[in-house]
Amino acid sequence: MDWINFKKPQRYLGNEHNVIKKSYFPGQVRICLCFPDLYELGMSNVGMKIIYGQLNSFEGIYCERVFMPDEDLYLYLTEKKKKLFSLETKTPLCDFEILGFNFGYELNFTNFLAMLSSGGVELRALERKDTIVLGGGIANPEGLAEFVDVFFLGEFEVQAEKFAEIIKRYKDKEERLRALAEIDGFYIPKFYDVYIKGNRFVFEKKYKHAKLPIRKVFVKDLDNSFFPVNWLTPHTAIVHDRAQIEIARGCPNECSFCQARCLYFPYRERGVERVLDLAKGVYKSSGYENLSLLSLSASNYSNIEKLVEEITAYFKDKCVGVSLPSLRIEDVVGRLYKSLRRIKKVSATFAVEAATETLRERINKKIDLNKLFEAARVLKSLNSRHIKLYFMFGLPYEEDSDLLAIGDFLRTLKAESRLKINLSINAFIPKPFSSFEDVDMESAQKLLKKKELILSNIPRDRDVKLSISNIRKSILEAVTSYADRSFSKVIYRAFCLGARFDSYDERFNYSVWREAFKQSGTSMEDYLQRKKDNFSFSHIEMK
Amino acid sequence: MDNERFLLKVKLQKHQQMKFFSQLDLVRVLGRALRRTDLPIYFTKGFNPHVKLSFGDALKLGQEGIVDITFYFTAKIPVDEFKDKLIPQLPRGLSIVEIGEK
Ligand code: SF4
């Protein structure tokens, strides 16, 4: 390959620090972890690093990686009839026994098909003789049922060892699938009949050892679960360019719109000592100049004061930036104020979601806006110049006055603090397993009106940087999140018509999707309105 | 207050895959490589301290060749110790050609 002709060739070289190289021997099981988005995003994903490290820790298994190639390489491979390859050994995807995809984001599904196709792998599960496509990180897998042999629901660390044993013991695809079907967390769509009767989805087992309902699995003891201390460290910039140490999983808060708290239920913490050990180990192995303490809500971490104090003390002389995303406002101005001053990067990102107290109460978002004004002043004194705020629109119970309040709020904040504001306003997308899973997504028409109303009151100011949802894209995400098995054909059509990188505003092509729905004899609206008494994913239990 | 600084001037050969990594990438790669050693790193002062390095002229992306880089330490480092500790941390495609003290 003449890499100089491609954008950011660093993405495809596979020469990161701590990359795992193993030599091949007959009988070795070869797995490739596949991330259906660009390198810069995929390499920021902690889950992928955990699985990569853990699978490679087993004898007899070699696990490699591949990311969605950017358009230039993708088109080059297609045109030259070359196959998409793994980073480590440059092996075409079709030569792996197992391809493990991350399905954390619904708008990456056409990229998933593009990667299979580019890698010389048949798209439909039933067409593949030997290769097993495994998918994880997904709440509702039904829309992909036609393409994926086996889904994993929950946290893979728990069953990684059993998985490794099974794929080493059985060599035949069918035998492997049958053995996996008996283990919690694995879901093999073809072992179930799913059909609609009356106004309900009915789920029936076709293979007697398959599980019903299907339960997700989760790590019970975070202190003793696998963590990739030999941190894979890229030589080029990625989106979250820092080492990440998970301090907790799940979230004890109960915001009604939130899916993450359900996917990662229950709330679990890693002990301060263990976090410190991991942070030191990861720093030693990576030399990363930035470290992030990861959780959905750091403020809920029981020993947050002690943790912050000890970690800042350890890293201060080493000039390592420690960041704590997901802190609540009260803590930034309150109990953590002193320690935070010692961390050079105070991450000032606040998910306000709704601009009025009434609406926040109805979505169960507990946040005190007065504290935010106070926080903004403190941030200024901490030398932070930016604050990032998240809002939603299209929420249930929402009135026009709630939307106008976003602009009013910004004006007050500006007057009080003079911080630069990065503002992200997103359409509310109902999600499976959240408390709002029953709520309907608003129509495109209404959402467009609301978007205009919000924008009409946002101060035009160069200190306010705004990004706001593309409505059609958000609706596609909603449809995909609730998909049933019939939706596979729509994704397939969209892929054939050239849809890729749907999560990127500038690459998302609504007309392609509209055509894909049309060719499948349906429409986005039709999918949105399809209401049943239960869901296409009611055979899955997340709690 | 400025600490005393000890410099090592290094000629670094950029070849094979590393020729695709920009000067900015090199800052990252060398900073992290140094941090993985226990060498007494000299950090820049100011609000956002980082590993101090200075670079001579950059090579074009995709071009193999030599880059001049100055490393800074807070104590005098024998050339051999520097080599012994840094070389194992460098990615393939970066190699030390010459070191001069100053
Ligand atoms: S939105 Fe954040 S704080 Fe609320 S439940 Fe979800 S993760 Fe927790």
Side-chain angles (χ1 to χ4, degrees):
Chain A
M1 293 287 292
D2 204 358
W3 284 120
I4 201 67
N5 299 327
F6 297 91
K7 266 191 288 172
K8 303 195 187 167
Q10 301 100 311
R11 290 165 170 163
Y12 311 111
L13 302 175
N15 67 340
E16 297 89 344
H17 183 71
N18 286 329
V19 68
I20 297 170
K21 300 271 183 181
K22 289 186 178 180
S23 40
Y24 179 75
F25 60 87
Q28 182 186 53
V29 180
R30 301 189 65 188
I31 303 176
C32 191
L33 295 183
C34 313
F35 198 91
D37 203 336
L38 295 175
Y39 179 87
E40 301 88 293
L41 273 121
M43 275 296 284
S44 304
N45 184 283
V46 187
M48 187 168 179
K49 290 207 178 69
I50 296 176
I51 299 173
Y52 179 73
Q54 195 179 15
L55 285 178
N56 275 314
S57 75
F58 302 127
E59 287 293 322
I61 289 182
Y62 186 21
C63 177
E64 306 182 38
R65 292 163 303 145
V66 64
F67 301 87
M68 176 71 188
D70 207 347
E71 284 297 285
D72 55 354
L73 178 59
Y74 180 78
L75 294 174
Y76 171 86
L77 294 172
T78 315
E79 193 183 306
K80 298 274 182 222
K81 303 213 172 2
K82 294 189 179 195
K83 291 191 177 112
L84 182 63
F85 50 85
S86 66
L87 299 192
E88 279 78 357
T89 60
K90 309 286 182 272
T91 305
L93 297 195
C94 57
D95 290 345
F96 285 89
E97 288 171 66
I98 293 166
L99 300 171
F101 277 87
N102 176 306
F103 292 134
Y105 191 30
E106 291 86 355
L107 293 182
N108 286 339
F109 290 175
T110 53
N111 284 4
F112 153 58
L113 293 186
M115 288 175 81
L116 285 184
S117 146
S118 179
V121 182
E122 296 83 356
L123 300 187
R124 294 195 173 82
L126 297 179
E127 289 169 358
R128 287 188 297 263
K129 250 187 30 248
D130 302 312
T131 317
I132 291 181
V133 171
L134 170 79
I138 193 169
N140 166 23
E142 292 304 283
L144 292 177
E146 199 172 323
F147 312 114
V148 178
D149 296 288
V150 46
F151 288 100
F152 186 78
L153 304 168
E155 298 165 359
F156 192 72
E157 298 101 302
V158 187
Q159 305 292 38
E161 208 172 328
K162 280 196 189 144
F163 174 74
E165 268 168 37
I166 286 174
I167 56 172
K168 283 197 281 183
R169 181 162 353 127
Y170 304 102
K171 292 293 160 193
D172 172 70
K173 176 170 174 178
E174 204 51 34
E175 280 180 340
R176 283 174 167 172
L177 292 180
R178 280 173 191 257
L180 290 172
E182 297 187 25
I183 304 180
D184 275 328
F186 290 96
Y187 165 46
I188 291 117
K190 70 163 183 183
F191 290 161
Y192 302 80
D193 254 335
V194 182
Y195 57 93
I196 293 165
K197 194 173 169 190
N199 208 32
R200 295 184 71 80
F201 287 96
V202 182
F203 308 92
E204 277 164 13
K205 293 199 280 187
K206 284 203 282 190
Y207 170 58
K208 70 173 189 290
H209 298 297
K211 309 223 170 220
L212 190 66
I214 304 137
R215 286 196 188 88
K216 76 149 188 201
V217 295
F218 59 88
V219 170
K220 298 233 159 48
D221 175 10
L222 268 192
D223 279 337
N224 290 307
S225 73
F226 180 90
F227 196 84
V229 177
N230 289 328
W231 195 260
L232 198 54
T233 311
H235 299 318
T236 192
I238 57 173
V239 174
H240 298 290
D241 209 356
R242 52 192 79 104
Q244 294 149 299
I245 315 290
E246 259 186 305
I247 62 172
R249 260 190 216 173
C251 179
N253 303 314
E254 295 179 44
C255 306
S256 314
F257 54 84
C258 180
Q259 184 184 50
R261 70 170 299 279
C262 311
L263 291 191
Y264 299 102
F265 186 86
Y267 178 63
R268 290 143 293 160
E269 292 182 353
R270 186 169 264 149
V272 172
E273 290 313 313
R274 176 78 174 144
V275 172
L276 278 171
D277 282 351
L278 291 176
K280 291 176 193 173
V282 166
Y283 178 69
K284 221 172 157 215
S285 80
S286 69
Y288 239 118
E289 62 287 342
N290 285 308
L291 197 80
S292 175
L293 302 177
L294 220 62
S295 69
L296 287 171
S297 177
S299 286
N300 290 102
Y301 186 82
S302 12
N303 264 322
I304 190 75
E305 282 160 273
K306 183 163 181 247
L307 177 65
V308 170
E309 198 161 299
E310 297 203 5
I311 216 147
T312 46
Y314 182 81
F315 285 111
K316 197 166 171 281
D317 293 340
K318 300 182 170 54
C319 297
V320 172
V322 179
S323 60
L324 256 169
S326 79
L327 266 182
R328 260 200 312 253
I329 296 164
E330 298 87 292
D331 294 328
V332 177
V333 293
R335 57 185 178 148
L336 296 176
Y337 177 71
K338 279 219 178 76
S339 317
L340 285 177
R341 284 182 71 113
R342 296 167 60 182
I343 310 180
K344 61 181 178 185
K345 279 214 182 78
V346 180
S347 152
T349 298
F350 301 114
V352 184
E353 311 300 7
T356 64
E357 183 64 42
T358 341
L359 186 55
R360 279 199 301 277
E361 240 164 59
R362 306 201 78 159
I363 62 173
N364 208 17
K365 180 86 210 176
K366 300 202 169 78
I367 192 171
D368 181 354
L369 271 202
N370 293 323
K371 290 273 166 73
L372 196 137
F373 294 125
E374 231 177 279
R377 280 192 294 271
V378 176
L379 285 172
K380 195 77 196 173
S381 77
L382 280 169
N383 257 328
S384 281
R385 291 205 179 81
H386 293 269
I387 186 165
K388 174 144 198 179
L389 300 172
Y390 285 92
F391 287 94
M392 276 196 279
F393 66 107
L395 283 162
Y397 317 111
E398 184 180 83
E399 311 271 350
D400 284 356
S401 54
D402 294 306
L403 301 176
L404 290 168
I406 299 178
D408 300 342
F409 166 77
L410 291 175
R411 263 184 288 275
T412 323
L413 182 66
K414 282 226 55 112
E416 298 250 341
S417 75
R418 315 223 54 80
L419 284 166
K420 290 201 193 326
I421 300 170
N422 284 334
L423 187 62
S424 176
I425 307 181
N426 301 300
F428 163 67
I429 302 171
K431 288 280 166 143
F433 304 106
S434 70
S435 310
F436 278 165
E437 70 174 356
D438 275 321
V439 173
D440 290 332
M441 174 107 184
E442 274 205 295
S443 68
Q445 237 178 356
K446 276 196 186 151
L447 285 170
L448 284 168
K449 271 217 184 97
K450 289 186 165 188
K451 187 169 161 177
E452 262 169 46
L453 187 66
I454 297 171
L455 292 176
S456 71
N457 196 35
I458 299 262
R460 304 250 169 268
D461 186 325
R462 44 192 180 87
D463 286 347
V464 179
K465 266 222 324 252
L466 170 73
S467 84
I468 189 160
S469 294
N470 174 320
I471 303 294
R472 308 271 177 209
K473 210 179 92 179
S474 305
I475 291 181
L476 176 65
E477 187 181 330
V479 168
T480 313
S481 306
Y482 283 84
D484 56 31
R485 291 192 175 187
S486 73
F487 194 64
S488 289
K489 66 173 185 291
V490 183
I491 303 176
Y492 175 75
R493 289 265 161 234
F495 161 70
C496 294
L497 290 165
R500 286 188 294 278
F501 291 104
D502 299 310
S503 67
Y504 294 69
D505 276 353
E506 68 283 8
R507 304 196 197 181
F508 172 68
N509 190 335
Y510 175 60
S511 53
V512 161
W513 275 96
R514 199 176 42 198
E515 182 61 24
F517 277 95
K518 207 170 119 202
Q519 288 185 5
S520 317
T522 164
S523 70
M524 266 205 215
E525 293 68 34
D526 178 35
Y527 265 97
L528 263 191
Q529 285 153 11
R530 234 178 245 192
K531 277 278 144 178
K532 300 271 177 300
D533 298 338
N534 63 352
F535 294 108
S536 60
F537 47 86
S538 290
H539 52 326
I540 293 170
E541 284 182 3
M542 280 288 161
K543 281 195 180 177
Chain B
M1 270 254 299
D2 214 355
N3 308 346
E4 215 181 333
R5 313 189 294 199
F6 299 84
L7 280 58
L8 282 180
K9 298 209 168 226
V10 178
K11 286 195 187 300
L12 208 64
Q13 164 89 12
K14 217 171 133 189
H15 51 135
Q16 299 163 355
Q17 298 194 332
M18 287 315 286
K19 69 177 184 232
F20 298 114
F21 289 80
S22 67
Q23 199 87 313
L24 224 64
D25 290 332
L26 272 197
V27 173
R28 207 172 270 116
V29 171
L30 294 174
R32 290 175 190 163
L34 274 178
R35 284 169 177 275
R36 292 192 293 266
T37 70
D38 58 358
L39 290 165
I41 303 171
Y42 181 92
F43 291 100
T44 60
K45 308 292 161 204
F47 185 64
N48 194 6
H50 52 270
V51 175
K52 185 164 171 68
L53 292 165
S54 17
F55 286 79
D57 292 341
L59 294 169
K60 272 219 324 254
L61 221 60
Q63 192 187 335
E64 300 193 332
I66 299 223
V67 219
D68 288 302
I69 300 170
T70 311
F71 289 79
Y72 298 81
F73 298 100
T74 59
K76 193 166 161 46
I77 304 297
V79 169
D80 285 342
E81 183 185 343
F82 173 77
K83 276 193 183 164
D84 287 350
K85 289 186 171 161
L86 191 67
I87 290 173
Q89 299 302 335
L90 292 178
R92 256 184 56 190
L94 279 188
S95 38
I96 295 175
V97 189
E98 196 186 304
I99 307 184
E101 287 171 86
K102 209 190 147 192

